[in-house]
Amino acid sequence: ERDYGAEPEGVAEKETVMEMEVSSPQFLAGFKCAPAAEGDAYMRATILGDMASDILLGESSPLYQRLYEQGLINPSFGGAYEMMPGVAYLYAGGDSKDPKAVAEAILDEAQRLAAEGVDGDYYKRIVNANFGAALRELNAFESIAVSMAEGRFQGYDPYRFPEIYDDITAEDVRAFLRENFTRAHMALSVIAPKEG
């Protein structure tokens, strides 16, 4: 058994800003999530995190459309969910003239979705898109090898993903958003243009 140490629950630093030779501010907002145990719980957490990320931050999401129309983001904006031994996090970032406003909008939209729920048709589209992407990965040798190795190391059968998709509900996504997209779990890192 490897000991990766104990990860503290809170974030190490709430906000960092560094000036560099960039034309416009770039940012990453990270949200620290509870890591999943091994086995099916690990695979379920990965699928749930990916779906929540797409629902909140994907190019077809209401948040993305609103921020894009307001000129706060451009096509560089994106996000994803990642897990490693003992840690899990969701991040969003890209170029923005006002990174703090984008981070606040992400928090607000996550809490709105957690309170009101996700539109049923939109939820089904995201589930179908993610499930379809998982199916397409079965056509790529590299993807199969990676999923088999990860499944072996994390103690789950990667080919049981259809059962996991069937088990996840819109309420699970709401709970994920409610629990993880909070100010206490957020850290913001900004690279600002150097002045002068």
Side-chain angles (χ1 to χ4, degrees):
E1 292 257 345
R2 289 187 177 172
D3 182 4
Y4 293 98
E7 181 69 23
E9 190 174 313
V11 297
E13 204 168 330
K14 289 284 187 188
E15 186 177 329
T16 59
V17 178
M18 180 182 288
E19 289 187 358
M20 296 180 78
E21 299 290 337
V22 293
S23 59
S24 66
Q26 300 171 359
F27 77 99
L28 271 179
F31 297 87
K32 199 169 193 178
C33 306
E38 294 182 351
D40 285 350
Y42 187 94
M43 181 167 57
R44 186 179 196 281
T46 300
I47 292 171
L48 180 57
D50 287 342
M51 284 177 39
S53 173
D54 289 345
I55 285 169
L56 179 63
L57 307 167
E59 289 181 17
S60 64
S61 71
L63 174 67
Y64 186 102
Q65 299 301 318
R66 189 168 59 250
L67 292 174
Y68 190 84
E69 287 168 6
Q70 293 171 353
L72 289 173
I73 61 170
N74 61 29
S76 71
F77 181 79
Y81 177 76
E82 300 286 338
M83 280 201 314
M84 289 170 265
V87 295
Y89 61 95
L90 200 145
Y91 66 88
D95 301 335
S96 176
K97 62 184 179 186
D98 193 348
K100 288 184 182 180
V102 175
E104 287 298 319
I106 291 169
L107 279 171
D108 291 345
E109 180 68 0
Q111 292 308 308
R112 184 192 71 77
L113 290 171
E116 298 173 13
V118 180
D119 176 72
D121 290 338
Y122 179 57
Y123 175 77
K124 287 177 190 170
R125 282 197 316 271
I126 295 296
V127 170
N128 291 339
N130 285 25
F131 185 78
L135 282 177
R136 281 190 300 280
E137 286 184 5
L138 295 175
N139 278 336
F141 177 77
E142 183 180 344
S143 293
I144 291 171
V146 168
S147 66
M148 288 181 70
E150 185 175 88
R152 176 71 177 129
F153 288 125
Q154 299 301 331
Y156 66 84
D157 177 359
Y159 299 111
R160 290 193 56 243
F161 72 88
E163 296 170 41
I164 303 296
Y165 274 96
D166 286 344
D167 183 55
I168 293 175
T169 66
E171 184 53 44
D172 293 329
V173 173
R174 284 178 72 181
F176 182 92
L177 294 169
R178 183 173 39 255
E179 293 161 13
N180 294 297
F181 282 91
T182 65
R183 199 170 302 284
H185 291 136
M186 184 179 84
L188 178 65
S189 177
V190 178
I191 298 175
K194 206 173 251 187
E195 292 183 22

